[in-house]
Amino acid sequence: MLERWSKRRTSLRYRLLVLTLFPLLLVLPGVIGLAYLWSQEVGYRQLLMKANTDLAVAHEAFLNSQQSYLMNLSLAASHHHRAILQALAITTPASIKTLEDTLKNEAGLDFVRLLDLSGCEQRNNQCQYPNSPSMPQAFKGQPLSAIEIFSARQLNNIDPILAQRARIPMVDSDISEQRGMLIHLFEPIRDDHGEVIGALAAGVLMNGNFALVDQIRNTVYGPGSLPEGGIGTVTLFLDDVRISTNVPHPNSPERRALGTKVSTEVHQQVLGQGQRWLDRAFVVNDWYISAYEPVIDASGKRVGMLYAGFLESPFLDSFYYWLELLLWLFAVVLIGCAIIAVRGARSISKPLEHMTEVMDRVRDGQHQTLPHYQSSDEIQELALHFNAMLSQLDTQHHAIQSAADQFEEKVNQRTAQLKHRTDELQQHIALLNRTREQLIEQGKLAALGELTAGIAHEINNPTAVILGYMDLLLDELGDQATPEMRHDAELIIAQVDRIRTIINDLLKLARPVPETLTYQTIDLNEVIRKTQTLVKHELQRRGIHLTLDLNAQRPAYADAPQLQQVLINLVMNAANATEEKGGIIVRSHDSAHGWVKLTIRDNGSGIDPQHLNRIFDPFFSTSHSGTGLGLAISHRLLSQMNAQIKVRSRLGRGSVFFIWLSTEKK
């Protein structure tokens, strides 16, 4: 008995701890993982959105710079309009060069050239100025600016100094980039009648133009736009070569990374496909959140790239800092919940363990009561009900025992006087013993019914809550739930369902016999066939063959639903004891003395002889998965129908259950 109590105590505590701690252990790691993934995904998207916005600002700043240079050229041309008209009318190379230098200095440009309507320079009457797609529009009277690429020869024809400035040595290579990217400007020249008679052509060289990229960077990455330690950079590319940038040189931080190239992936997407590129990239010597877009020249060709980006590490440092705080917070919550769960499990398990011990002792015939628990919850209420039922059971038992003793005394007196009626007296004594056992059994069942009703009321509510939260938990996890999580959750749900099944079986066992039984004349063979329909799918799944041999001609007088429940219990018990490809035979035939006989035979494992006299006792089961209530319920149902049941079994050969049903009301 001590060993049995110990096993029950360990099992109950273990289940309570699992039911309380498992949801915490399941949910908290999932929440932490989801928080990490969500933070990383959302944070990364936010960084890419910022880089995209920064590139848009850099694009607008670059366009504004072009328009600013064009406006400066227009203002300078307006200021020196009369001198320009004279230069176009009177060709004096020295005065024209002086005028062009004046306009260049006032507008902040790298060169200015005065062109006539044929596109020839006025200073030397040579038509060597590079032909531009923008020139025809300028001669139509439209000021404009555009990006154009000049070769080294074209730059040298304009100004040898520009050709020298444009030359950028390539990093890790012996060659140099000698072409130049220019902001090419055109300002139409009109005479006093408004007719276009020429144009001012000017340009600003982008190669090595640190002032321009620094100005754009200051516009994009102003104060407060980046976290502490953050660095923002802007770069202009000619094709895929950096010609102007804020990015430090990989070998010398005080220099700039001119002459370095972008990756092949960026080159293909931006220059090859004309699309923006947004991602984290290793730029020269560190990881940056980067954005690239193509630079389009006057003829619509992709000739370079504009880049804006910022260091990734300051944002990662901030992200990991907050993630660490979150992990510490979850750890504290988990520890706190574990402590509460352990204490809660102990507070529930101890009274239940004590109740189990008391129930075992009462069943063994000892007088026991539960102590008063220092609580006001359902456990204390259940203990009070249990003590009241034990007291009622003791009172009924003493009353029955007293009545039985008095009756036996009277019987003994009558026996001494009526020796010749010994046989009849023995029958009365046997009937008295059976009646006493039935009364005691009915008293126990009544007490068990009240106890079971109380337990069912107090346990069904928390089990329903557990099932509801488990379903909610599985729905919230959705696809994030791993197979192991789903298996453990389904194990909890199955165990809770098993608790409900045990409670329902107890209610069936302890339910009082109704005053009016629904007995009627039934076709026993038809009841058996309906039972076969209900169990055939389960038997087929187990590979067990059910054979019917129905020869009963007489009708049986019984309750059909109760009889069908008994048949289902017996057939499924036979299936549980039978291995795959085994067989079960159900026979019916007429028997003597107004009975109909029903036989259920299997070729399963059989029943140990020492267990045969206990198989109809409640809670007795040789199966680890059984509750020990099926045969007890079946025996009680048959007793209500005035039927008899017996069993014969051989260990390893199988078992046979015999049922005799009356053909008329007894």
Side-chain angles (χ1 to χ4, degrees):
M1 183 180 293
L2 291 177
E3 182 180 358
R4 181 175 59 196
W5 289 346
S6 177
K7 288 182 179 179
R8 288 183 179 177
R9 182 183 298 111
T10 303
S11 175
L12 181 59
R13 288 185 178 178
Y14 172 74
R15 291 180 181 178
L16 287 172
L17 286 176
V18 168
L19 290 175
T20 51
L21 288 179
F22 177 76
L24 295 175
L25 297 175
L26 180 67
V27 172
L28 286 183
V31 171
I32 293 175
L34 289 175
Y36 172 78
L37 293 176
W38 179 86
S39 301
Q40 191 176 49
E41 179 68 16
V42 172
Y44 185 63
R45 288 183 180 177
Q46 292 292 332
L47 293 180
L48 291 182
M49 290 174 61
K50 174 175 172 53
N52 190 43
T53 303
D54 294 343
L55 180 59
V57 175
H59 176 84
E60 291 299 323
F62 189 40
L63 293 180
N64 290 338
S65 298
Q66 298 179 41
Q67 295 302 318
S68 176
Y69 285 125
L70 182 59
M71 183 178 295
N72 291 341
L73 178 61
S74 298
L75 291 174
S78 176
H79 185 258
H80 297 278
H81 183 68
R82 184 56 55 187
I84 294 172
L85 292 179
Q86 292 175 359
L88 286 172
I90 304 172
T91 305
T92 305
S95 61
I96 292 176
K97 182 178 184 306
T98 301
L99 177 61
E100 290 175 345
D101 291 341
T102 301
L103 293 172
K104 178 185 74 172
N105 294 330
E106 287 187 10
L109 307 173
D110 288 329
F111 70 88
V112 175
R113 293 291 183 269
L114 182 60
L115 305 179
D116 59 20
L117 290 178
S118 62
C120 298
E121 298 182 29
Q122 287 294 105
R123 67 161 63 188
N124 51 20
N125 270 338
Q126 295 182 359
C127 296
Q128 297 181 353
Y129 191 81
N131 188 21
S132 170
S134 304
M135 193 178 294
Q137 300 181 41
F139 290 150
K140 291 180 181 180
Q142 180 181 351
L144 51 87
S145 66
I147 300 297
E148 295 192 35
I149 307 299
F150 281 20
S151 65
R153 183 178 61 82
Q154 290 172 328
L155 291 173
N156 190 66
N157 289 338
I158 295 173
D159 190 344
I161 295 177
L162 289 179
Q164 184 177 357
R165 281 176 51 194
R167 185 176 181 275
I168 296 178
M170 305 289 288
V171 175
D172 299 330
S173 177
D174 296 333
I175 62 175
S176 299
E177 177 60 71
Q178 298 184 6
R179 296 176 298 166
M181 178 183 288
L182 285 86
I183 299 177
H184 205 188
L185 310 169
F186 287 94
E187 175 66 26
I189 305 299
R190 299 177 184 272
D191 60 11
D192 294 336
H193 302 288
E195 296 292 332
V196 177
I197 60 175
L200 288 176
V204 179
L205 182 64
M206 296 291 97
N207 297 39
N209 194 335
F210 300 145
L212 177 63
V213 292
D214 288 347
Q215 178 185 350
I216 297 175
R217 179 195 61 188
N218 294 336
T219 301
V220 177
Y221 301 106
S225 63
L226 295 173
E228 184 178 356
I231 297 177
T233 58
V234 175
T235 300
L236 271 173
F237 291 84
L238 174 54
D239 197 9
D240 60 349
V241 178
R242 287 180 176 84
I243 60 172
S244 186
T245 183
N246 322 114
V247 179
H249 194 277
N251 301 326
S252 179
E254 64 276 3
R255 295 166 52 200
R256 306 207 184 191
L258 299 180
T260 56
K261 290 189 173 186
V262 295
S263 66
T264 304
E265 179 184 356
V266 176
H267 181 277
Q268 291 177 350
Q269 183 167 332
V270 179
L271 293 178
Q273 303 175 15
Q275 299 177 357
R276 279 194 175 189
W277 191 90
L278 291 172
D279 207 340
R280 61 191 299 267
F282 193 79
V283 179
V284 180
N285 57 0
D286 212 336
W287 285 98
Y288 285 74
I289 303 298
S290 305
Y292 296 82
E293 71 173 12
V295 174
I296 310 299
D297 68 359
S299 60
K301 296 181 179 180
R302 296 186 285 271
V303 296
M305 293 181 288
L306 177 63
Y307 158 86
F310 49 87
L311 271 179
E312 180 187 46
S313 56
F315 291 93
L316 288 180
D317 293 341
S318 176
F319 169 75
Y320 288 128
Y321 170 76
W322 288 108
L323 182 61
E324 183 180 359
L325 289 182
L326 179 64
L327 290 175
W328 280 111
L329 176 62
F330 274 125
V332 172
V333 171
L334 181 60
I335 293 173
C337 291
I339 294 174
I340 294 173
V342 171
R343 291 183 176 179
R346 288 179 178 175
S347 67
I348 295 175
S349 65
K350 284 186 177 179
L352 293 179
E353 291 165 5
H354 197 182
M355 289 182 189
T356 303
E357 294 177 3
V358 171
M359 292 170 67
D360 287 337
R361 290 171 181 168
V362 170
R363 187 173 62 183
D364 293 337
Q366 302 180 24
H367 176 73
Q368 292 284 319
T369 57
L370 293 175
H372 179 75
Y373 298 108
Q374 299 299 322
S375 63
S376 59
D377 55 9
E378 292 84 352
I379 298 296
Q380 173 63 25
E381 204 173 321
L382 183 61
L384 294 176
H385 285 300
F386 188 70
N387 280 337
M389 284 184 285
L390 289 178
S391 177
Q392 181 182 358
L393 182 62
D394 287 340
T395 301
Q396 293 176 350
H397 179 72
H398 290 316
I400 293 171
Q401 187 65 44
S402 176
D405 292 341
Q406 293 176 9
F407 191 73
E408 285 184 1
E409 182 178 355
K410 292 180 180 180
V411 169
N412 290 332
Q413 293 174 359
R414 293 286 302 272
T415 302
Q417 298 173 1
L418 304 172
K419 296 282 187 181
H420 61 281
R421 302 182 63 182
T422 301
D423 294 339
E424 183 180 356
L425 182 59
Q426 291 298 328
Q427 294 178 359
H428 283 295
I429 293 175
L431 177 62
L432 172 63
N433 289 331
R434 287 197 302 271
T435 303
R436 180 177 63 183
E437 292 175 358
Q438 291 177 356
L439 289 174
I440 294 175
E441 182 67 18
Q442 291 297 328
K444 289 183 178 180
L445 289 176
L448 179 61
E450 293 185 33
L451 172 61
T452 304
I455 292 176
H457 174 73
E458 303 300 336
I459 291 182
N460 281 336
N461 289 336
T463 54
V465 172
I466 292 172
L467 288 175
Y469 273 97
M470 289 306 302
D471 290 338
L472 178 60
L473 176 62
L474 290 176
D475 290 340
E476 289 183 353
L477 288 177
D479 295 335
Q480 300 294 329
T482 63
E484 290 81 8
M485 292 179 182
R486 288 193 177 276
H487 176 268
D488 293 339
E490 290 170 358
L491 179 61
I492 290 179
I493 294 173
Q495 290 301 315
V496 174
D497 286 336
R498 188 166 183 266
I499 292 174
R500 285 187 163 185
T501 301
I502 293 174
I503 294 300
N504 291 333
D505 287 345
L506 284 172
L507 288 173
K508 291 178 183 177
L509 181 64
R511 187 179 292 118
V513 179
E515 294 181 2
T516 303
L517 300 176
T518 57
Y519 289 166
Q520 58 185 345
T521 300
I522 63 173
D523 185 351
L524 177 60
N525 298 334
E526 184 63 22
V527 174
I528 296 173
R529 293 189 188 97
K530 290 182 179 180
T531 304
Q532 180 191 29
T533 302
L534 295 176
V535 301
K536 68 178 182 179
H537 294 293
E538 179 63 18
L539 296 180
Q540 289 174 358
R541 185 183 68 81
R542 299 189 186 189
I544 299 174
H545 181 68
L546 176 63
T547 302
L548 302 184
D549 183 12
L550 308 180
N551 299 306
Q553 301 297 322
R554 301 174 185 170
Y557 193 83
D559 183 89
Q562 290 184 355
L563 180 59
Q564 188 173 71
Q565 181 178 349
V566 171
L567 288 175
I568 291 174
N569 286 343
L570 294 177
V571 171
M572 293 312 299
N573 278 356
N576 293 333
T578 304
E579 297 181 355
E580 187 175 356
K581 297 183 179 180
I584 300 174
I585 301 174
V586 179
R587 290 190 174 96
S588 69
H589 58 87
D590 298 335
S591 183
H593 307 295
W595 297 93
V596 179
K597 187 175 181 181
L598 177 64
T599 305
I600 298 95
R601 181 186 302 273
D602 66 73
N603 56 1
S605 58
I607 304 172
D608 194 318
Q610 63 180 351
H611 296 154
L612 278 176
N613 60 344
R614 298 187 60 195
I615 61 173
F616 297 112
D617 291 343
F619 304 106
F620 177 79
S621 175
T622 59
S623 172
H624 296 293
S625 60
T627 61
L629 296 174
L631 288 178
I633 293 173
S634 299
H635 185 272
R636 183 165 181 265
L637 293 177
L638 291 173
S639 297
Q640 293 175 8
M641 291 185 286
N642 295 319
Q644 300 178 19
I645 182 171
K646 293 184 180 180
V647 61
R648 186 174 67 215
S649 180
R650 294 181 63 183
L651 196 62
R653 300 290 296 275
S655 303
V656 185
F657 283 83
F658 304 94
I659 299 176
W660 288 269
L661 296 167
S662 175
T663 58
E664 59 183 11
K665 186 175 181 180
K666 298 289 185 178

